[in-house]
Each structure stands twice: as structure tokens, then as C-alpha cells.
Amino acid sequence: MDKSLIRNFSIIAHIDHGKSTLADRLLLAVGAIDERKFKNQLLDDMDLERERGITIKASAVRLDYKAEDGKTYVFNLIDTPGHVDFAYEVEKSLRACEGALLVIDASQGVESQTVANHFLAIDNNLEILPVINKIDIANIDIDHAKMEFMEILKFKEEDIQLVSAKEGLGIKPLFEKIVSFIPPPEGDDAAPLQALIFDMKYDQYKGIIIYVRVVNGALTPGQGIKMMHIDRDYHVEEVGVFRPEISQGKRLGSGEVGYITCNIHDPRDVRVGDTVTDAQTPAARPLAGYRHLNPLVFSGVYPVNAKDFMDLREAIEKFRLNDSSFVYEPETSQSFGHGFRCGFLGLLHMEIVQERL
């Protein structure tokens, strides 16, 4: 596929500034979903995300956009959480992108996580496109929000996009700006395969679905691959993309974001931040992985009934697939029996993990 037509970007923002609503609106605008199937927080596919109205997991989706220049561009969009406890999800996502939409609420302006996410995007060498959302609110001072963007984060006024994700205002100009502002990915299809694992989830039929960003080379079904950090070989069974449902394909080339399955069922066999390379002609060195995060909150997690310990262990191992910032080790207590000592990035993170388990 022509890499000049690919745009990989994340949506980042402070909590409640409208990231997920904007992602929903972008999907609706290009026809990835129709009005009948449309529902708020479409990419938040966990019940817990809908119940609390927050994004917990990053979601990847591929969109096709026919631009005013007559070309059809492929957008790989990754919607990320806003809450500080899930900053690691944001960081993982940014490594798969060349650009980021930094969204602020017109009525709230620049807030703490706006600044933190801005510097996170800078650290990952991304082009940052400033977006002011919720311009449909009555008596809003858009000029004040613009001034905050320009004075605090040093954006140029001509780059600031005005949208209302709820009402669908300003979406077409935003698409055109993404095309011109965010650079296409670099990479060489003919070079040895290097693909970064940036997320995964468990499927009871396919095994572990591995989210990858191909940097160099290409991935095809039947190909022999090696995980460079854990030094294990596998065969690719399926490749594809998310539209937003899983859509099987024939190939993932350099610069593309998608998934692979290799009939892996043991969560310990895959690691986020690992590099996938070709088993026959491996790359000389792996890609830079992710920094190690230190947990800030610790808690003991034990089964109510001792006989459920194995079920709890299996659930924790599968959960670790989805959340690399969650750490655990077995421990034994005289009062509670066998369980796990778990580390979390914050109290909300701990609460969410307990509910999901």
C-alpha cells in the first residue's frame, strides 16, 4: 500500500474533554458505522467503560477518507484514556503513531492532563494538532481557549481546529487538516521485518490477538516470525485490521497498524513492547520497547474461596495481557491463604482492575 496515503494518529486529552465522542463522530463521518449502529462511546467496548463514562483501554480503528484532492487516505485512529491512572495506555498508543490530536473542552481550557499528554507526545516526536471541542455550548469564549493553547503550549493560531463532536461541526475541515498536517509513516517494505507489539487482547477462539504497528517489512498469513525479546518462533495464522470490527486481510505492510494471531493461548508467551521479526531473515536489532513503570498503590487480591485460586490466577494472567502497567506476584497469608500481591498506578486503576477481574 502507498505509505503517502497513510495517517497514524491518536486522540489525547484531559478526562471528559470529548475524546471518545470525537472518535465516534470521525467514524460516523466516513461511514465506518451508520446512524442505526451508532451509539455513544462506540470504541469503548467494555461495559465498565460505558457504565462509568470513561475510556480505560486504548482502541485502534482504521478509516478510509476520500479527501478533497480526490485521493483516498487510510487513517489509523487510536482513541486513548484521559484519566491519569491510565497514562501508560496513552504512552503505548503514541508509539504506534506519527501524530496526535490534542483535544480541549472550549469551556474548560488547558488542564493538567492536557499539558502532561502534550509533553508525552513531544517525547515521542509526534506532530501535535490542537483541537478545541464543544464549540456548540452557548456563550462559550472560544478566543480564551485559543489564547490558552497559544500561550501555555505555544501553538500557532492557524493550526487550531474548532469542532463540536456532539453536533458534528468542523469535522470535514479537521479531516483535511489531518491529511496536510500529520506526516505519513516512514519505513521500507523490502527491509527485514520489524513490528512493534503495542497491545493485545484474548479471544477464546483465536487465542491472543496481537496489535502491531509494522515499522519495516511486511506481515502475511503463514509467515514464520520470531518475538525478539522472548526469543520464540511462531507462525502467523491471520492478519487484519479493525474497522472497528475485526476485518481479516492478506497483508500488513510498513507503516500500517493492525493485528496478527499465531494460535498463542498462554499470556506469558507475548509481551507488549516486544518486536516481531521474520524467523528466516531477522532484523539486526529490536525496536525500542516501553519504559518500565513503577506501581504507586499496592493491594493483596485473594479468592473468596480457596478452591478458586487457579481461576483467579488464570484471570490475572489474561488481564495482564490487556494492561502491562498492572504487576503482580504470588503471596500467602495466614488469614486468607494463597493470593497475589498486586501493584497499580492509582486508586482508580486498582478499582477498575478489581471490577474487571
Side-chain angles (χ1 to χ4, degrees):
M1 153 164 221
D2 184 353
K3 283 192 292 296
S4 68
L5 300 177
I6 299 175
R7 300 290 182 271
N8 299 321
F9 63 94
S10 272
I11 303 181
I12 54 177
H14 190 85
I15 191 166
D16 277 342
H17 281 216
K19 290 176 311 305
S20 295
T21 313
L22 180 59
D24 293 345
R25 181 59 63 181
L26 297 182
L27 265 69
L28 199 57
V30 297
I33 49 169
D34 60 30
E35 290 279 2
R36 285 180 303 114
K37 288 186 184 172
F38 180 71
K39 55 182 187 250
N40 288 335
Q41 288 182 273
L42 186 93
L43 294 182
D44 292 345
D45 53 6
M46 284 162 37
D47 291 339
L48 198 53
E49 291 178 308
R50 300 183 167 288
E51 187 184 304
R52 289 172 173 256
I54 59 172
T55 302
I56 295 165
K57 282 289 301 164
S59 303
V61 64
R62 181 167 172 147
L63 313 173
D64 294 325
Y65 171 65
K66 192 163 178 32
E68 287 176 359
D69 62 10
K71 297 177 183 171
T72 299
Y73 290 85
V74 168
F75 289 171
N76 288 306
L77 153 67
I78 302 176
D79 177 32
T80 60
H83 197 282
V84 65
D85 280 15
F86 305 113
Y88 191 64
E89 284 292 321
V90 179
E91 188 173 340
K92 286 194 311 185
S93 306
L94 295 183
R95 290 292 302 280
C97 302
E98 279 74 43
L101 308 187
L102 181 61
V103 179
I104 63 168
D105 179 333
S107 62
Q108 305 293 327
V110 173
E111 296 198 70
S112 57
Q113 277 304 108
T114 317
V115 177
N117 285 332
H118 177 254
F119 286 114
L120 205 51
I122 288 173
D123 289 345
N124 284 280
N125 300 316
L126 302 189
E127 289 292 334
I128 307 166
L129 181 59
V131 179
I132 297 177
N133 187 24
K134 306 190 185 180
I135 59 167
D136 56 302
I137 298 175
N139 305 321
I140 206 75
D141 189 350
I142 293 172
D143 289 336
H144 180 70
K146 276 188 180 179
M147 286 301 294
E148 285 200 359
F149 251 157
M150 291 154 63
E151 288 179 4
I152 299 172
L153 301 178
K154 308 297 183 226
F155 286 116
K156 297 176 185 165
E157 185 171 5
E158 62 266 28
D159 289 336
I160 298 173
Q161 301 297 296
L162 305 177
V163 303
S164 165
K166 183 180 173 188
E167 301 295 331
L169 305 174
I171 299 300
K172 178 81 173 170
L174 175 61
F175 273 131
E176 292 297 323
K177 187 71 175 179
I178 289 169
V179 168
S180 61
F181 189 86
I182 293 176
E186 296 175 355
D188 183 359
D189 275 15
L193 172 64
Q194 286 176 303
L196 176 71
I197 298 175
F198 70 92
D199 208 349
M200 23 189 179
K201 67 178 181 183
Y202 190 83
D203 181 284
Q204 66 185 87
Y205 303 109
K206 299 174 190 278
I208 295 168
I209 296 175
I210 304 167
Y211 292 51
V212 291
R213 157 68 199 270
V214 183
V215 176
N216 289 307
L219 280 161
T220 53
Q223 180 178 358
I225 58 166
K226 178 193 282 289
M227 308 281 188
M228 294 188 81
H229 284 296
I230 57 174
D231 196 27
R232 288 203 180 156
D233 292 5
Y234 299 99
H235 268 85
V236 177
E237 295 207 338
E238 188 181 306
V239 304
V241 296
F242 302 96
R243 291 185 175 274
E245 297 88 11
I246 277 186
S247 173
Q248 201 170 332
K250 293 188 169 63
R251 185 177 187 273
L252 280 178
S254 63
E256 292 191 78
V257 174
Y259 75 88
I260 58 171
T261 64
C262 306
N263 198 25
I264 302 172
H265 287 269
D266 188 341
R268 290 166 294 195
D269 289 349
V270 193
R271 201 162 62 187
V272 166
D274 205 343
T275 301
V276 176
T277 191
D278 190 84
Q280 303 300 319
T281 53
R285 59 179 179 274
L287 301 164
Y290 295 110
R291 67 192 173 98
H292 180 71
L293 281 185
N294 294 317
L296 302 173
V297 175
F298 292 88
S299 168
V301 177
Y302 294 86
V304 176
N305 295 319
K307 66 179 190 306
D308 294 332
F309 174 74
M310 295 306 286
D311 290 340
L312 177 64
R313 188 173 78 175
E314 189 181 332
I316 281 180
E317 284 176 353
K318 284 182 183 170
F319 183 84
R320 178 88 169 86
L321 276 179
N322 272 60
D323 187 350
S324 342
S325 58
F326 165 66
V327 296
Y328 68 94
E329 58 183 33
E331 75 169 3
T332 305
S333 151
Q334 283 190 330
S335 308
F336 302 117
H338 294 294
F340 295 92
R341 173 92 169 151
C342 301
F344 311 92
L345 296 183
L347 291 172
L348 177 66
H349 188 209
M350 179 175 78
E351 205 181 314
I352 295 294
V353 169
Q354 286 177 335
E355 283 198 47
R356 289 182 69 189
L357 284 175

